Amino acid sequence: MVRSARKTTSLIDFVILATLVPIVASASTAWGQAAAGALEAKIDRLATEVVPQTVAWRRDIHQHPELSNREVRTAGVVADHLRRLGLEVRTQVAHTGVVAVLRGGKPGPVVALRADMDALPVTEALDLPFASQVKAEYNGRQVGVMHACGHDVHTAVLMAVAQVLSQVREELPGTVKFLFQPAEEGAPKGEQGGAELMIREGVLENPSPEVIFALHVNPNYPAGTLAYRPGATMANQDSLRIVVHGRQTHGAVPWAGTDPIVVASQIVLGLQTIVSRQVDLPLAPAVITIGSIHGGVRSNIIPDEVEMVGTIRTFEPRMRTDIFDRIRKTAALIAQSGSAEADVSIEPGYPVTFNDPNLAARMVPTLDTVVGKGRVVVMPPSTGAEDFSYYQQKIPGLYFFLGVTPNSADPQQAPMLHSPRFFADESALVIGIRSMVHLTIAYLQK
Ligand SMILES: [Zn+2]
Ligand SMILES: [Zn+2]
């Protein structure tokens, strides 16, 4: 909250800057040393040429955000573009996903590139000319919809990558598979979706990619930089639900029942001592968050029950199961002390996003040539989570971050992903395009 508030004035500067400074010009200043080789030089030129169109795609998708498993319009825009490029296109994969295959003119391996397409139930707070006004129903409630995680950027960048690689098709030694994925943020209640469903529907077969690459925007890094981490990069994410059962009574007569609100409050505080007091923190980070508490309908009724939901983030398998045990014990014994009962359920979520260390070591020199050495940062582990991890369980993958905070601003103060004030500097688009194209060509030419 404090971070967003402090940001407000300088965000206006970003917007003005983004509008006034020609995007291609500002992007080209961020380029590193020119990549060697005729093909590399050609794709840098093609990447520059596709930037204005990429900005238009990105703004169009930003203005028309769609929630997870509802990316119908976005998928249509993507599929039309890929068909015009002459790719083999498959639609309605894992509900609204689009998969396309580009076969190069020379034999070689298969590389997969992935972009996620879904937006979030967030009401946009930025005054951009292409800001979202969209509202939709989410789990039974009317919500604003916004690309607050930057998946509009990922989709537009991968559309541009498909175009650039199509333009050098004859020179490509291998095949490129484009995965435009729905529901990275999680399918709505009662539905399946995302990377796990894409894999079940066969996206890693016919043809089978050897490796997979993806990028994600990151406001913690300035535009013109990239960040990655070999090994465990993002956390294992598990969902937590606790229902505290008490006994309903009049608010003026608490002793006649059992108050689940007070017990739930004690459980929330008790859970916070697990990470801070009970686990071996130098071994690996961990987070337990209760993000929602519901109980009661009015001031003078103590309700029968309270429901809490939250998230658990871990990096280390033994620590993960230990934390599960401690959550169950803490909730049960606190509830018992208040004559209530607590039902704890833990749903396993996205696995650890794990960058294959050999693949990372091999590909990072390519990223160095894209932005210049010293502009590719090795980042600390992130407690965020990503369903890209499911692909990485099947084949080696590299997931890296694209800095998107304007150079005039402090990335440490920038509104985070999922913030209604999240802002991506469009000068980063060309870096995203060049990163993905160069990684693909470098791997195919191995
Ligand atoms: Zn997100
Ligand atoms: Zn995201």
Side-chain angles (χ1 to χ4, degrees):
M1 292 281 273
V2 177
R3 291 172 103 192
S4 313
R6 261 188 284 156
K7 200 66 247 150
T8 314
T9 37
S10 50
L11 249 167
I12 293 157
D13 300 338
F14 302 180
V15 176
I16 292 166
L17 190 84
T19 320
L20 295 182
V21 177
I23 286 144
V24 180
S26 69
S28 61
T29 56
W31 289 18
Q33 65 267 40
L39 182 54
E40 283 78 1
K42 188 171 172 184
I43 59 178
D44 276 342
R45 180 174 57 75
L46 293 169
T48 310
E49 285 171 9
V50 77
V51 166
Q53 210 177 345
T54 312
V55 170
W57 287 326
R58 185 259 161 163
R59 292 185 178 190
D60 174 61
I61 296 167
H62 189 91
Q63 207 163 7
H64 300 95
E66 294 170 299
L67 292 171
S68 307
N69 276 357
R70 305 287 182 271
E71 308 89 339
V72 177
R73 181 187 181 277
T74 311
V77 169
V78 168
D80 286 349
H81 171 63
L82 299 174
R83 282 196 196 97
R84 269 195 297 272
L85 295 176
L87 306 195
E88 301 162 31
V89 180
R90 199 180 137 202
T91 57
Q92 292 181 305
V93 183
H95 300 300
T96 56
V98 182
V99 177
V101 177
L102 171 67
R103 293 179 201 277
K106 299 173 189 172
V110 183
V111 169
L113 306 176
R114 177 273 213 164
D116 38 13
M117 301 190 289
D118 53 330
L120 286 161
V122 171
T123 302
E124 180 151 8
L126 290 182
D127 189 20
L128 295 168
F130 53 93
S132 165
Q133 307 285 330
V134 173
K135 289 194 169 31
E137 193 182 300
Y138 178 71
N139 290 340
R141 274 189 293 168
Q142 272 296 109
V143 291
V145 185
M146 176 193 175
H147 269 293
C149 205
H151 298 185
D152 52 336
V153 171
H154 309 166
T155 303
V157 162
L158 197 58
M159 287 169 73
V161 169
Q163 180 158 324
V164 171
L165 289 172
S166 302
Q167 287 169 303
V168 295
R169 182 182 206 140
E170 290 314 310
E171 293 148 86
L172 277 188
T175 298
V176 188
K177 201 162 185 178
F178 299 92
L179 311 182
F180 288 88
Q181 182 205 301
E184 190 285 322
E185 301 287 359
K189 269 184 200 160
E191 294 179 30
Q192 297 188 321
E196 208 181 2
L197 189 58
M198 293 277 280
I199 295 167
R200 280 215 301 281
E201 294 195 5
V203 302
L204 296 183
E205 292 147 39
N206 302 319
S208 300
E210 275 183 20
V211 291
I212 183 162
F213 301 124
L215 60 74
H216 202 294
V217 296
N218 192 329
N220 291 337
Y221 298 94
T225 63
L226 299 169
Y228 81 103
R229 182 172 183 81
T233 300
M234 296 180 85
N236 202 308
Q237 168 226 46
D238 300 295
S239 305
L240 170 64
R241 180 170 178 265
I242 302 175
V243 181
V244 179
H245 300 282
R247 195 155 59 87
Q248 187 160 327
T249 178
H250 197 292
V253 196
W255 52 87
T258 300
D259 186 347
I261 290 186
V262 170
V263 172
S265 309
Q266 290 176 312
I267 291 175
V268 171
L269 297 178
L271 295 179
Q272 290 314 312
T273 67
I274 295 175
V275 170
S276 67
R277 305 285 88 177
Q278 300 173 47
V279 302
D280 184 1
L281 277 180
L283 184 66
V287 175
I288 302 172
T289 291
I290 296 294
S292 160
I293 308 182
H294 286 282
V297 287
R298 57 177 279 156
S299 61
N300 61 355
I301 303 173
I302 291 172
D304 228 24
E305 63 176 40
V306 169
E307 187 201 37
M308 303 187 273
V309 293
T311 189
I312 307 161
R313 305 295 166 109
T314 51
F315 290 86
E316 213 278 326
R318 274 172 304 136
M319 192 187 274
R320 177 173 175 244
T321 50
D322 178 54
I323 285 176
F324 291 178
D325 292 343
R326 289 176 191 276
I327 287 173
R328 291 195 186 96
K329 184 171 142 194
T330 302
L333 295 181
I334 289 176
Q336 196 189 355
S337 75
S339 304
E341 273 178 36
D343 287 337
V344 177
S345 49
I346 297 171
E347 280 276 313
Y350 300 165
V352 170
T353 305
F354 187 87
N355 282 332
D356 182 271
N358 293 327
L359 182 66
R362 193 174 133 193
M363 303 320 297
V364 166
T366 301
L367 296 180
D368 284 337
T369 65
V370 170
V371 284
K373 229 179 155 62
R375 288 172 160 265
V376 181
V377 181
V378 177
M379 59 185 277
S382 155
T383 49
E386 238 304 331
D387 74 353
F388 187 74
S389 50
Y390 288 110
Y391 303 112
Q392 290 174 313
Q393 286 187 328
K394 302 283 180 191
I395 54 174
L398 178 62
Y399 180 87
F400 62 99
F401 291 93
L402 177 69
V404 288
T405 290
N407 284 288
S408 56
D410 175 4
Q412 295 311 313
Q413 303 295 323
M416 263 311 291
L417 296 171
H418 293 204
S419 157
R421 300 189 167 276
F422 166 68
F423 178 80
D425 186 334
E426 289 172 339
S427 73
L429 290 172
V430 73
I431 309 283
I433 300 166
R434 292 177 62 238
S435 303
M436 293 290 260
V437 173
H438 281 292
L439 284 177
T440 306
I441 300 232
Y443 189 87
L444 293 180
Q445 288 179 333
K446 57 180 171 178

